[in-house]
Amino acid sequence: TPRVFSGVQPTGNLHLGNYLGAIRKFVALQESHACLYCVVDLHAITAQLVQDDLPGQIRSITAAFLAAGIDPKKHIVFNQSRVSGHAELAWIFNCVARIGWMNRMTQFKEKAGKDRENASLGLLAYPSLMAADILLYRATHVPVGDDQKQHLELTRDIAAKFNFDFAERIEAAGLAVPITAGEESTEGYFPITEPLIEGPATRIMSLKDGAKKMSKSDPSDLSRINLTDDADAIARKIRKAKTDPDALPSELDGLKERPEADNLVGIFAALAERPKADVLAEYGGRQFSEFKPALADLAVGILAPISAEMRRYLADPSHIDAVLKDGAERAGAIADATMKDVKDIVGFLRD
Ligand code: AQP
């Protein structure tokens, strides 16, 4: 059966990029797949060890999941550190993955900056933990934003190398299952996971710079729309968003070399669930002074109910805490079964 896994780090305010690139897709996939949605707190300490109010951050991401429409009864919502299999499998994957693979990761290079020798070992190993998150549940599909594409390719490489290196033992233990990777069909233990990166919102850019992605860690709050921003803040940020002086084009081609205009049209299209060409057919020839208020209204209409729900959940976190505890128990049962298999395959004696 197709199984979905995805995670969000509890490292700050969720923004429109996280919502359109990830969380909204999580909600849609619930209809067709068995889903696990995880607040990845182990990842949260890789770039900065001491986090402000980590419990509050974990609850806040969970509140966003629930407010956006994720059903924790039908699917599994939990925080990563509660299921020890993530860390255990990550260790084994640290021994599968090669240092060269990790050194090539653009996110590591960006986050480590110039002083790479001083980055945490955890930041370098981040993609190995991410592979463990996904493969612990033998998930087949992972909805993410475009920035995670390279990490998902690495997850596929880790799964393929594990399957290859242990092929005989997987076979001998009767644990081989059919695996498809693109065109090819083979056998192995871990699936070759398919990334789900599609639609107009795979990479929402900063409102202040069309060349930078919208990000939680951007020092300028004007660069992003937070899920918790009120209607006034949303309208103000969109009004102040960087644009060029020209009117909107009527054709997609007219957005080339206009990254800020392209981004705003993309956000409109994603929020309205309409193709970009359709948005341009309506707004082509009009000025940003007309387009921006329409975009602000659209954003407020979608985000205001979500942030109101988030506040309601956070006012008394007991429901959130119960959801996370129950989710961890159910995730843990799947994880334990995988870890038993993996220990048998590697050759660790176990109970
Ligand atoms: N700008 C974006 N457009 C589309 N999708 C995005 N995502 C993040 N930014 C955008 C997707 O959101 C999911 C959760 O992200 P995360 O919190 O796990 O990590 P991140 O990518 O590090 O998020 P940020 O906001 O950009 O944080 P910082 O500033 O720390 O780098 C992922 O699926 C991600 O692709």
Side-chain angles (χ1 to χ4, degrees):
T1 48
R3 183 181 276 162
V4 163
F5 178 95
S6 197
V8 175
Q9 297 189 73
T11 46
N13 271 330
L14 284 174
H15 52 71
L16 191 62
N18 300 131
Y19 177 67
L20 292 173
I23 296 173
R24 196 176 64 174
K25 292 186 187 155
F26 299 178
V27 177
L29 286 161
Q30 297 183 107
E31 298 299 318
S32 47
H33 292 70
C35 306
L36 293 112
Y37 295 126
C38 186
V39 183
V40 289
D41 46 13
L42 297 174
H43 284 278
I45 61 168
T46 54
Q48 189 187 311
L49 176 61
V50 182
Q51 292 285 326
D52 257 5
D53 187 19
L54 194 51
Q57 304 267 21
I58 295 168
R59 290 188 180 112
S60 167
I61 305 288
T62 311
F65 283 177
L66 303 182
I70 290 170
D71 181 345
K73 291 209 176 73
K74 291 203 186 113
H75 301 276
I76 298 180
V77 172
F78 70 109
N79 61 307
Q80 184 187 25
S81 61
R82 271 204 165 108
V83 178
S84 58
H86 290 262
E88 282 184 66
L89 188 58
W91 178 258
I92 294 170
F93 287 170
N94 282 344
C95 302
V96 173
R98 310 286 92 185
I99 294 173
W101 300 1
M102 300 298 169
N103 277 331
R104 280 197 289 278
M105 293 294 113
T106 55
Q107 182 174 297
F108 173 67
K109 290 188 213 167
E110 278 166 25
K111 295 214 167 175
K114 288 208 175 69
D115 192 10
R116 222 187 269 187
E117 290 290 301
N118 205 25
S120 78
L121 194 51
L123 190 66
L124 181 65
Y126 183 114
S128 169
L129 178 59
M130 180 164 157
D133 299 339
I134 296 164
L135 297 173
L136 188 57
Y137 305 99
R138 298 210 268 174
T140 51
H141 296 83
V142 182
V144 280
D146 181 65
D147 58 324
Q148 294 300 320
K149 196 172 173 183
Q150 197 186 29
H151 288 165
L152 283 175
E153 276 158 19
L154 195 99
T155 298
R156 294 162 65 94
D157 291 343
I158 288 177
K161 182 160 162 44
F162 183 97
N163 288 342
F164 181 82
D165 289 353
F166 289 111
E168 279 174 25
R169 298 208 201 153
I170 293 169
E171 184 72 44
L175 292 170
V177 293
I179 304 280
T180 40
E183 311 278 272
E184 273 176 56
S185 285
T186 100
E187 288 210 321
Y189 182 72
F190 286 119
I192 306 299
T193 302
E194 285 295 331
L196 298 173
I197 308 174
E198 58 223 10
T202 57
R203 194 174 184 82
I204 301 289
M205 308 310 279
S206 156
L207 297 180
K208 288 279 142 201
D209 179 351
K212 273 197 341 209
K213 79 164 185 144
M214 188 178 283
S215 152
K216 290 177 208 146
S217 56
D218 194 312
S220 166
D221 195 53
L222 284 175
S223 71
R224 67 183 156 262
I225 295 174
N226 302 305
L227 285 198
T228 48
D229 282 344
D230 61 22
D232 284 350
I234 293 174
R236 181 165 36 86
K237 287 177 178 179
I238 292 179
R239 198 168 57 241
K240 293 193 170 194
K242 185 175 169 196
T243 42
D244 53 50
D246 296 339
L248 283 154
S250 315
E251 309 273 338
L252 282 176
D253 261 4
L255 289 174
K256 282 193 188 132
E257 322 281 321
R258 296 180 67 186
E260 284 85 13
D262 190 15
N263 188 40
L264 293 184
V265 171
I267 292 174
F268 192 108
L271 286 170
E273 300 187 63
R274 288 165 58 184
K276 266 156 84 170
D278 195 40
V279 176
L280 291 181
E282 184 181 343
Y283 286 94
R286 303 222 227 148
Q287 295 296 328
F288 279 102
S289 54
E290 262 182 90
F291 180 72
K292 282 178 166 181
L295 176 57
D297 284 349
L298 184 59
V300 169
I302 290 169
L303 299 183
I306 297 175
S307 71
E309 268 297 276
M310 277 178 73
R311 277 195 299 278
R312 204 177 59 77
Y313 280 118
L314 289 168
D316 171 13
S318 59
H319 176 64
I320 290 176
D321 290 355
V323 162
L324 291 174
K325 185 165 187 284
D326 171 66
E329 278 165 18
R330 287 153 61 210
I334 306 172
D336 286 351
T338 304
M339 285 315 298
K340 279 188 177 151
D341 290 347
V342 169
K343 285 178 181 174
D344 290 346
I345 292 166
V346 175
F348 294 146
L349 289 175
R350 64 171 179 87
D351 295 337

